Amino acid sequence: MVKTAKLIFDGKTFELPIVTGTEGEKAIDISNLRAETGLITLDPGYANTGSCKSSITFMDGEKGILRYRGIPVEQLAEHSRFVETAYLLINGELPTREALSRFSGLLNDHSLVHEDMRAFFEKFPRGAHPMCILASMVNALRAFYPEIPERTEEEEVNITFSRLLSKIRTLAAMSYRISLGHKVVYPRHDLCYCANFLNMMFDSPVRPYTIDDDIVKALNVFLILHADHEQNSSTAAVRLVGSSRVNLYAAISAGIAALWGPLHGGANQAVVEMLQEIHDCGGDLAPFLSRAKDKNDPFRLMGFGHRVYKTYDPRARIMKKMCDIVLKKLKQKDPLLDIAKRLEEIALKDSYFIDHHLYPNVDFYSGIVLRAIGIPLNMFPVMFAIGRLPGWISQWKESHEDADWRLHRPRQVYIGLKQRDYVPVDERG
Ligand code: CMC
């Protein structure tokens, strides 16, 4: 029996179907609401709005659960590699050995970037934020890799997926090298995805980069943990922009732009800046905690809180452990990690954070790992973008394959002036 919700408006009763997801999440289907009742819904920030049905990622924010295609993220972080997880997200199943090798081969084939693109990098002003460069360069890829009419749509889409996944990492490393005035290091066919990235970032003729399996593992874990997060702001941007049927490069570029913000992917950079500020001020946490609780102060404890998680973010738990593993391996001590752990301990006992359900999110500890590996601070959001790319691609693919898909075009409740007449400039008071 189809369940419905009843809406009584203007003396009439309307029945709205209830849609139930595989994990029991219930939604009121309002797709015919306006046509039948003349009403629209109002939901600032979309906190109560399901924009699509999706079979990619499941999150339970109350229980702290995150699964990609049904598989817990903890298992993927422990056993998988980023490329395999990307395949899982995009194709729905873990690859066979042969499929994984074909997929890795494609990424290898597409890892180089058109040499003419280097000129763009060189013309960005020194000090330009790498997210600005990345969003522009990903959009520009379309100009360098236009559609080829002889290819089927499926072939074109698959090539575009591989190109994006592979080139984003080359573009990120190139932008770093060029920003330093250093020679670009090309991708190598004998290295896996993460080792290749680290080598492109850090190898130098005077100081060859030694690839360490534990650091490669840490990078894999970082990227896997960021690989998808259902309808977050940047993914919603990719789906919305993609709904106009613009090319995938442009849609991903929009996702990168949305991710850049400090409330989203820019938070990993903001957390380390905040921890550094605490450190530079002598390590006293009290003023920062009271600022975070002060309604009249815009300051927030970065790396804390989440729209969906009302408990500990499962990704943060893994990232926290990873901090200790990486620092031990690299024989480093990071005073910011001690500050972060103290901050977490105090905040989790503080009634403000308890009452607001504010717990560490993925960004709280990830910056410590990135910093230990040698990733510069302003590239932290770029690392998030590399990780999130398979999620954006799979969500874009799902939306394009959805028979019910329509142009995303929300409504509004207009609260401006009623109709009035144009006043010529000389008659305006
Ligand atoms: N520090 C202090 N107070 C906070 C914080 C925080 N980090 N986060 C939320 N609050 C308070 C907020 O002031 C509000 O209080 P009140 O109800 O008394 O007015 C209440 O909690 C709800 O806040 P909100 O902004 O309505 O909640 P939201 O669901 O829209 O925001 C958030 C989620 C992530 C934007 C927010 O928690 C935040 O700004 N956190 C800091 C930035 C951050 O770490 N972002 C990374 C998110 S995880 C990575 C990703 O997936 O993007």
Side-chain angles (χ1 to χ4, degrees):
M1 203 182 78
V2 183
K3 284 200 178 155
T4 56
K6 287 193 173 60
L7 171 73
I8 302 168
F9 175 64
D10 251 358
K12 281 194 206 139
T13 301
F14 300 92
E15 298 221 3
L16 302 164
I18 299 286
V19 179
T20 308
T22 44
E23 292 285 350
E25 177 109 78
K26 291 190 174 39
I28 302 172
D29 180 347
I30 55 153
S31 28
N32 293 322
L33 183 70
R34 191 167 182 277
E36 288 176 11
T37 67
L39 294 168
I40 61 166
T41 55
L42 185 61
D43 184 20
Y46 307 130
N48 306 284
T49 297
S51 62
C52 59
K53 291 182 205 156
S54 178
S55 54
I56 301 171
T57 288
F58 173 69
M59 282 174 76
D60 183 325
E62 275 71 36
K63 296 192 185 130
I65 294 173
L66 175 62
R67 299 182 200 133
Y68 301 157
R69 301 288 189 181
I71 304 177
V73 74
E74 291 82 358
Q75 290 183 22
L76 291 166
E78 192 174 343
H79 303 296
S80 185
R81 283 176 165 255
F82 177 60
V83 168
E84 183 184 61
T85 297
Y87 183 101
L88 168 74
L89 282 166
I90 296 169
N91 298 291
E93 290 296 339
L94 286 167
T96 58
R97 200 176 287 282
E98 292 72 36
L100 183 58
S101 145
R102 263 197 315 277
F103 188 54
S104 300
L106 270 177
L107 297 191
N108 189 30
D109 290 348
H110 290 293
S111 57
L112 287 170
V113 167
H114 201 296
E115 283 292 316
D116 289 353
M117 290 190 89
R118 283 177 67 161
F120 285 102
F121 282 115
E122 280 150 15
K123 296 290 181 262
F124 276 103
R126 281 284 151 95
H129 197 286
M131 281 298 260
C132 156
I133 300 177
L134 190 69
S136 314
M137 297 305 270
V138 166
N139 202 9
L141 280 174
R142 174 58 172 199
F144 287 90
Y145 301 94
E147 261 177 34
I148 297 186
E150 291 74 40
R151 287 199 194 116
T152 64
E153 197 186 334
E154 195 185 344
E155 282 168 345
E156 192 63 55
V157 159
N158 285 334
I159 287 178
T160 306
F161 292 169
S162 312
R163 264 194 209 129
L164 273 164
L165 283 168
S166 195
K167 291 189 199 310
I168 196 171
R169 149 197 77 149
T170 315
L171 288 170
M174 270 173 96
S175 69
Y176 173 60
R177 305 288 300 203
I178 293 171
S179 74
L180 295 178
H182 290 179
K183 202 167 175 302
V184 164
V185 177
Y186 287 99
R188 275 173 35 189
H189 72 91
D190 58 322
L191 294 179
C192 69
Y193 190 94
C194 289
N196 232 326
F197 173 72
L198 291 167
N199 193 60
M200 285 191 274
M201 286 285 290
F202 302 123
D203 190 46
S204 138
V206 289
R207 193 187 289 253
Y209 182 69
T210 311
I211 290 161
D212 180 310
D213 287 347
D214 291 331
I215 302 307
V216 170
K217 168 76 186 164
L219 185 55
N220 267 293
V221 170
F222 172 91
L223 296 176
I224 288 170
L225 294 182
H226 288 79
D228 195 42
H229 218 218
E230 49 119 300
Q231 305 314 313
N232 56 87
S233 171
S234 56
T235 300
V238 169
R239 280 187 177 255
L240 186 142
V241 172
S243 81
S244 74
R245 302 290 175 198
V246 70
N247 68 80
L248 179 57
Y249 300 106
I252 299 292
S253 172
I256 296 171
L259 188 72
W260 188 3
L263 297 189
H264 191 12
N268 53 14
Q269 177 177 344
V271 168
V272 169
E273 284 165 350
M274 175 188 78
L275 295 174
Q276 188 66 53
E277 196 187 337
I278 297 173
H279 179 261
D280 296 346
C281 293
D284 184 6
L285 305 177
F288 290 87
L289 285 163
S290 57
R291 282 189 65 196
K293 296 190 273 184
D294 181 354
K295 283 277 137 268
N296 300 315
D297 188 328
F299 176 80
R300 282 185 169 197
L301 206 57
M302 299 313 286
F304 259 74
H306 196 275
R307 173 61 63 80
V308 180
Y309 293 124
K310 298 302 161 204
T311 183
Y312 213 102
D313 180 338
R315 304 167 301 171
R317 194 166 277 125
I318 301 171
M319 246 19 275
K320 187 178 178 182
K321 280 196 199 131
M322 199 45 83
C323 290
D324 291 322
I325 294 170
V326 168
L327 289 174
K328 188 168 170 213
K329 172 76 201 197
L330 295 173
K331 299 191 176 63
Q332 289 180 16
K333 277 207 175 307
D334 189 340
L336 300 197
L337 179 59
D338 301 330
I339 293 176
K341 285 184 176 170
R342 271 199 298 130
L343 197 53
E344 175 189 331
E345 202 185 328
I346 297 175
L348 294 187
K349 286 186 196 141
D350 186 302
S351 61
Y352 174 89
F353 292 89
I354 295 170
D355 295 348
H356 285 79
H357 307 289
L358 299 170
Y359 292 83
N361 59 50
V362 69
D363 297 310
F364 194 63
Y365 287 106
S366 65
I368 309 266
V369 170
L370 294 177
R371 186 172 133 94
I373 294 176
I375 307 290
L377 185 58
N378 64 0
M379 272 195 69
F380 288 7
V382 167
M383 301 305 295
F384 195 147
I386 298 174
R388 185 53 53 86
L389 185 58
W392 289 332
I393 289 175
S394 49
Q395 301 270 351
W396 180 92
K397 181 170 181 265
E398 185 177 69
S399 71
H400 273 58
E401 290 168 356
D402 185 346
D404 296 332
W405 197 246
R406 298 179 74 188
L407 176 71
H408 279 208
R409 204 300 185 190
R411 294 253 176 189
Q412 64 168 15
V413 176
Y414 175 70
I415 54 164
L417 296 174
K418 295 250 193 197
Q419 181 176 333
R420 56 194 182 130
D421 289 327
Y422 175 82
V423 181
V425 68
D426 295 335
E427 293 169 29
R428 289 172 210 163

